[in-house]
Amino acid sequence: PSEEQVGDRSTGTRVVAGQIFHESEESDSHTEDDESFRSPEEEKESMLEELNSLEMSNLLNKNLEDVEIQKPVLTAIGGTADSEPCHFPFLFLEKEYAECTADGREDGRLWCATTYDYKRDQKWGFCETEEQSNKRRQMQEAEDVYQTGMKIFNESSKKAQKKEAYQYLLKAADMNHTKAMEKVSYALLFGDYLKQNIQSAKELFEKLTEEGSPKGQTHRGSQTRGWDSSGLWGYYMGGSRAVNLCAKPCLPPGYRYWGGIGVLQSCESALTHYRLVANHVASDISLTGGTVVQRIRLADEVENPGMASGMLEEDLIQYYQFLAEKGDVQAQVGLGQLHLHGGRGVEQNHQRAFEYFNQAANAGNSHAMAFLGKLYSEGSDIIPQSNETALQYFKKAADMGNPVGQSGLGMAYLYGRGVPVNYELALKYFQKAAEQGWVDGQLQLGSMYYNGIGVKRDYKQALKYFNLASQGGHILAFYNLAQMHATGTGVMRSCHTAVELFKNVCERGRWSERLMTAYNSYKDGDSNAAVVQYLLLAEQGYEVAQSNAAFILDQKEASIVGENETYPQALLHWNRAASQGYTVARIKLGDYHFYGFGTDVDYETAFIHYRLASEQQHSAQAMFNLGYMHEKGLGIKQDIHLAKRFYDMAAEASPDAQVPVFLALCKLGIVYSLQYVRETNIREIVSHLDMDQLLGPEWDLYLMTIIALLLGTVIAYRQRQHQAILRPVGLRPAVPQQEPPPEHQPPQ
């Protein structure tokens, strides 16, 4: 592309903490670290903007002061001054009140005075009716119950105590507490800490929808029959318009615009929705890259039982813990990282991570020192934030050549954490870390090139390092690449690429933790709870959830789905997973059309799906199926030669296919031979056969000699058999009597 096509479209953009922000999309909150990332020129411009903003704010405040704000006037109800306006402030028991109060009343009902001095004038009235008072007290009681439940839930990690907390939330939900109703509806829907009850969850979501709750609208949409109905779309759009930072309601519109599901396909509309969610997800990600998201496909586990799912068995974890206790430094570092990020069946636990890293650091491990530096640099509820302590650990690790320590030291110099800001040293340490393949170093190096901090601005170099960091799985690297492709900064603008990258970021948000919850439910034998969670995530565009939901439905393990809906729903989700590139789903689509599961038997459509899986994903199973269809002439003209070709391709594509391919080829050879014999005229061949020319003029003598030899052999064999039968039986030789064993002989 030309320079004009790849122009600088970054006006109004900057990189903060490894994230590319567009001024029009930035959140309102900026940390002090954001300011230290700017160049001096940008700082001056920012100061001028802030001064102008302050001047405008002062003018606005001055104008507001001049305008008399009309506040609603409260009128006293009952009491000694019925229908008279309340007077604020008023004096009661030597204290001024600027609003209604319940002081002095045992029933807790709010009241006000209609003159300044209540003691002198005794003029008062209620601020609310008795019905309003009862409702307010009820809501206050519900809030107290809700807060009690949340306190128990947040302060405990034991399942029994969390179940106890949900009993409080259930009580608050019965008192119409909105937040409690939302949490209880989730628990009833997914079977979390409460027994799964889809009908009760549905009723709660309907109630929340009537009250305008975005969560109620979103999940009411998920339960709407007719997946692509306009009602479903309305619920999702209602949820997406609400301000909700947990990246849940905006995913369905983005995914539906992306796939053209129920709406007209539009890449730009999908980009708008996905970018909105990705901004919130990226803002929640720390520089460690966030928690690990496990993507386990149930179909792959069944097809390849020996394949590692990424989960660690409890026995294996205990073995590593035993090694760590015995002083194995590698086990200590490994367990520290596992507890730092979570995943692989282990919950995130900064306290345990700190303990393991501390043990390994005391043994002189540079990796553990660097991660202790990261823990102190970011801080948490367990480890207090300390730039000085973090800097000490980073320096020790960097001096030992550790890339994590070098990257951490670069961050310290970049943001001035414990040291003066020094872009040259920051660049130096990031380069050292990037050369060793550390993703944080690559990400920050890309950010410096993108923003021209410490180096000349170079979008190609920024793109290079962002790509390297994305290969290591860093979410912020995907986010930055998405921003560059969305705006055409340093690359040709590509809406398609930007949406795929933003989608990747969105699917790594906090909502993705449901994937592991659903997987654990399935492994515990609760297929109903698992399928509900997978179906909800499937509606948000998670390919793994789509394939897993389809798999559970395919196996008929979910009793909550009607018998007549099982295969059609499975077919729908296999189709969506296949459209996102999952090979097994594409083959399943072929199988469903081949056998007529959830649809009519359609060999031509089955052939198309098998061919797509063969050409795009080089699937051996798809090639084998294509060979079979060519052999039988199903959905395509019968062609034995093409059948053999596809069978051979399947054997080359996978060693596992060699045995079935061998059997298929043997069968194909027999079929081909029979077909050849059937199509050949035997009499015509015999009539044209010239024995003199084939065997010579004395061929009859040769033939007679061979026949005589064969006859003699048969006669000799028969005579031997006859002699064996007529031999006299006679007396068999006597079997010598064995002496009894010594222990049975009588004593001498």
Side-chain angles (χ1 to χ4, degrees):
S2 65
E3 290 293 326
E4 294 163 356
Q5 291 174 313
V6 190
D8 178 6
R9 301 191 186 184
S10 66
T11 306
T13 67
R14 59 192 178 88
V15 178
V16 177
Q19 304 172 51
I20 299 175
F21 285 97
H22 293 266
E23 297 298 338
S24 59
E25 299 168 2
E26 276 188 300
S27 60
D28 296 335
S29 60
H30 298 290
T31 63
E32 293 179 3
D33 296 335
D34 297 355
E35 303 300 327
S36 65
F37 200 83
R38 303 176 183 174
S39 61
E41 292 78 5
E42 289 174 325
E43 288 179 351
K44 291 177 182 177
E45 292 176 4
S46 177
M47 289 174 66
L48 289 173
E49 290 175 1
E50 289 177 5
L51 287 172
N52 292 334
S53 177
L54 285 171
E55 290 177 3
M56 290 298 296
S57 178
N58 290 335
L59 287 173
L60 183 61
N61 290 335
K62 186 176 180 180
N63 292 334
L64 286 174
E65 289 173 1
D66 295 337
V67 177
E68 186 175 339
I69 299 174
Q70 297 293 329
K71 293 182 180 180
V73 178
L74 283 175
T75 304
I77 302 172
T80 60
D82 186 31
S83 301
E84 293 183 16
C86 292
H87 187 285
F88 296 112
F90 64 88
L91 186 67
F92 173 67
L93 297 179
E94 307 301 325
K95 179 181 175 183
E96 283 192 346
Y97 291 86
E99 57 186 2
C100 297
T101 181
D103 291 354
R105 294 193 63 84
E106 295 181 357
D107 59 3
R109 194 170 174 184
L110 296 175
W111 65 277
C112 68
T114 58
T115 61
Y116 175 73
D117 193 339
Y118 167 79
K119 185 177 181 180
R120 182 191 65 198
D121 301 325
Q122 296 289 312
K123 290 282 191 176
W124 67 278
F126 294 111
C127 297
E128 57 190 358
T129 63
E130 189 172 353
E131 182 182 354
Q132 290 173 336
S133 176
N134 292 334
K135 185 176 181 181
R136 179 181 56 78
R137 288 198 300 272
Q138 183 181 358
M139 291 309 298
Q140 184 59 49
E141 183 183 352
E143 177 67 20
D144 294 339
V145 174
Y146 172 78
Q147 292 299 336
T148 302
M150 290 305 299
K151 183 179 180 182
I152 296 173
F153 186 87
N154 293 327
E155 291 179 354
S156 174
S157 59
K158 294 182 179 179
K159 194 170 183 179
Q161 290 180 332
K162 288 184 180 290
K163 285 185 176 181
E164 180 189 351
Y166 261 87
Q167 293 304 314
Y168 284 96
L169 298 182
L170 192 60
K171 183 179 178 181
D174 291 338
M175 299 167 72
N176 295 323
H177 190 281
T178 302
K179 290 184 179 179
M181 289 167 62
E182 290 175 351
K183 290 188 176 295
V184 168
S185 58
Y186 278 117
L188 291 171
L189 180 64
F190 300 140
D192 292 343
Y193 311 114
L194 293 174
K195 186 177 179 181
Q196 188 179 35
N197 190 325
I198 305 295
Q199 185 60 34
S200 297
K202 180 181 177 183
E203 291 172 0
L204 275 176
F205 282 132
E206 288 176 345
K207 192 172 182 179
L208 287 167
T209 301
E210 292 172 0
E211 295 179 3
S213 168
K215 291 183 181 180
Q217 292 171 344
T218 301
H219 294 282
R220 178 73 183 92
S222 300
Q223 296 179 13
T224 302
R225 290 176 63 92
W227 299 91
D228 296 328
S229 65
S230 59
L232 171 64
W233 180 246
Y235 283 125
Y236 276 136
M237 289 304 295
S240 68
R241 291 190 191 105
V243 178
N244 192 327
L245 305 187
C246 51
K248 288 183 278 190
C250 299
L251 275 174
Y255 172 63
R256 288 174 178 276
Y257 275 124
W258 178 235
I261 301 172
V263 292
L264 187 65
Q265 191 172 19
S266 170
C267 181
E268 295 297 334
S269 296
L271 178 62
T272 301
H273 286 284
Y274 273 127
R275 178 188 275 172
L276 176 64
V277 181
N279 290 342
H280 295 307
V281 173
S283 65
D284 287 341
I285 299 300
S286 66
L287 294 175
T288 56
T291 57
V292 177
V293 178
Q294 296 291 136
R295 299 171 184 267
I296 304 172
R297 295 181 176 86
L298 301 178
D300 290 346
E301 278 196 334
V302 172
E303 293 292 331
N304 306 294
M307 184 186 68
S309 64
M311 301 294 292
L312 291 177
E313 298 291 340
E314 185 64 29
D315 293 343
L316 188 58
I317 295 174
Q318 290 179 0
Y319 173 69
Y320 284 135
Q321 289 173 343
F322 172 77
L323 291 178
E325 290 171 1
K326 292 295 183 183
D328 189 310
V329 176
Q330 295 302 322
Q332 291 168 349
V333 174
L335 286 171
Q337 289 181 279
L338 202 58
H339 284 93
L340 175 64
H341 299 291
R344 304 192 72 180
V346 178
E347 289 187 3
Q348 195 175 30
N349 188 326
H350 282 183
Q351 179 63 47
R352 298 292 300 276
F354 176 80
E355 291 171 358
Y356 284 121
F357 285 141
N358 201 34
Q359 292 174 17
N362 291 335
N365 185 274
S366 62
H367 218 57
M369 294 176 188
F371 274 102
L372 280 175
K374 290 173 77 70
L375 286 171
Y376 277 110
S377 178
E378 295 181 6
S380 66
D381 296 336
I382 308 299
I383 298 95
Q385 201 278 337
S386 173
N387 289 333
E388 292 73 19
T389 309
L391 191 64
Q392 291 175 9
Y393 280 114
F394 284 144
K395 281 184 176 179
K396 288 180 182 179
D399 290 342
M400 299 171 70
N402 185 275
V404 185
Q406 292 167 345
S407 178
L409 208 52
M411 293 292 294
Y413 282 111
L414 180 64
Y415 291 106
R417 295 174 179 171
V419 291
V421 172
N422 190 324
Y423 295 143
E424 292 183 4
L425 284 176
L427 183 69
K428 171 188 170 183
Y429 283 112
F430 286 144
Q431 286 175 334
K432 286 184 176 182
E435 287 170 1
Q436 297 187 64
W438 182 240
V439 291
D440 282 352
Q442 294 165 344
L443 176 73
Q444 297 303 329
L445 199 56
S447 300
M448 294 187 78
Y449 276 111
Y450 181 90
N451 217 37
I453 295 180
V455 290
K456 184 180 178 182
R457 180 173 291 178
D458 189 335
Y459 292 129
K460 290 184 178 179
Q461 286 294 319
L463 188 69
K464 168 189 170 183
Y465 286 111
F466 286 151
N467 275 320
L468 288 172
S470 69
Q471 291 171 15
H474 205 300
I475 302 178
L476 296 183
F478 288 113
Y479 178 79
N480 292 345
L481 286 172
Q483 292 284 27
M484 293 184 75
H485 282 92
T487 57
T489 305
V491 291
M492 281 285 292
R493 186 181 186 276
S494 172
C495 177
H496 185 276
T497 305
V499 168
E500 287 187 338
L501 290 166
F502 276 133
K503 183 175 183 290
N504 196 333
V505 174
C506 293
E507 292 182 357
R508 291 169 180 247
R510 288 174 294 184
W511 194 233
S512 61
E513 295 170 5
R514 273 282 159 200
L515 286 171
M516 280 310 303
T517 308
Y519 176 79
N520 291 330
S521 296
Y522 181 77
K523 285 300 179 182
D524 291 340
D526 193 351
S527 297
N528 286 336
V531 78
V532 168
Q533 295 174 76
Y534 279 136
L535 284 171
L536 182 60
L537 291 170
E539 286 299 307
Q540 298 185 25
Y542 286 83
E543 177 269 308
V544 174
Q546 291 168 347
S547 60
N548 286 351
F551 175 83
I552 295 174
L553 293 170
D554 179 79
Q555 301 296 311
K556 295 187 176 181
E557 295 177 338
S559 60
I560 60 172
V561 181
E563 183 71 23
N564 296 330
E565 296 180 4
T566 300
Y567 280 135
Q569 287 300 322
L571 179 64
L572 172 70
H573 288 92
W574 283 131
N575 189 34
R576 292 181 179 178
S579 66
Q580 297 197 60
Y582 184 39
T583 307
V584 174
R586 181 66 67 187
I587 295 171
K588 281 288 187 181
L589 283 176
D591 293 344
Y592 272 48
H593 285 93
F594 187 92
Y595 295 108
F597 294 157
T599 184
D600 297 330
V601 173
D602 189 341
Y603 293 130
E604 292 182 1
T605 304
F607 181 85
I608 291 172
H609 286 300
Y610 290 142
R611 188 179 64 188
L612 287 173
S614 170
E615 294 174 354
Q616 296 176 0
Q617 286 97 21
H618 305 288
S619 168
Q621 186 176 349
M623 295 172 185
F624 186 90
N625 293 348
L626 287 172
Y628 180 81
M629 296 186 78
H630 276 293
E631 177 188 339
K632 297 294 184 181
L634 301 173
I636 195 71
K637 184 179 178 181
Q638 188 177 21
D639 191 327
I640 293 178
H641 300 287
L642 276 176
K644 182 181 184 304
R645 177 186 171 191
F646 278 109
Y647 284 142
D648 290 337
M649 288 170 61
E652 293 175 3
S654 172
D656 295 336
Q658 291 179 357
V659 173
V661 165
F662 172 76
L663 296 174
L665 288 176
C666 290
K667 175 191 170 187
L668 193 64
I670 294 172
V671 171
Y672 180 76
S673 301
L674 291 174
Q675 183 178 351
Y676 178 79
V677 170
R678 187 168 58 249
E679 293 176 355
T680 304
N681 192 334
I682 303 298
R683 291 183 178 179
E684 186 177 350
I685 292 176
V686 173
S687 64
H688 287 84
L689 188 63
D690 189 352
M691 299 300 291
D692 291 338
Q693 185 177 359
L694 184 64
L695 300 176
E698 298 177 351
W699 64 271
D700 52 344
L701 296 176
Y702 301 146
L703 181 60
M704 290 174 63
T705 303
I706 292 171
I707 293 174
L709 289 172
L710 289 173
L711 185 61
T713 303
V714 171
I715 293 172
Y717 177 74
R718 293 295 300 271
Q719 284 181 347
R720 280 173 176 264
Q721 268 194 332
H722 187 66
Q723 289 175 359
I725 294 172
L726 296 179
R727 181 184 298 168
V729 177
L731 294 174
R732 293 183 180 178
V735 179
Q737 293 290 332
Q738 294 183 354
E739 295 183 1
E743 59 268 21
H744 294 289
Q745 293 181 358
Q748 298 294 328

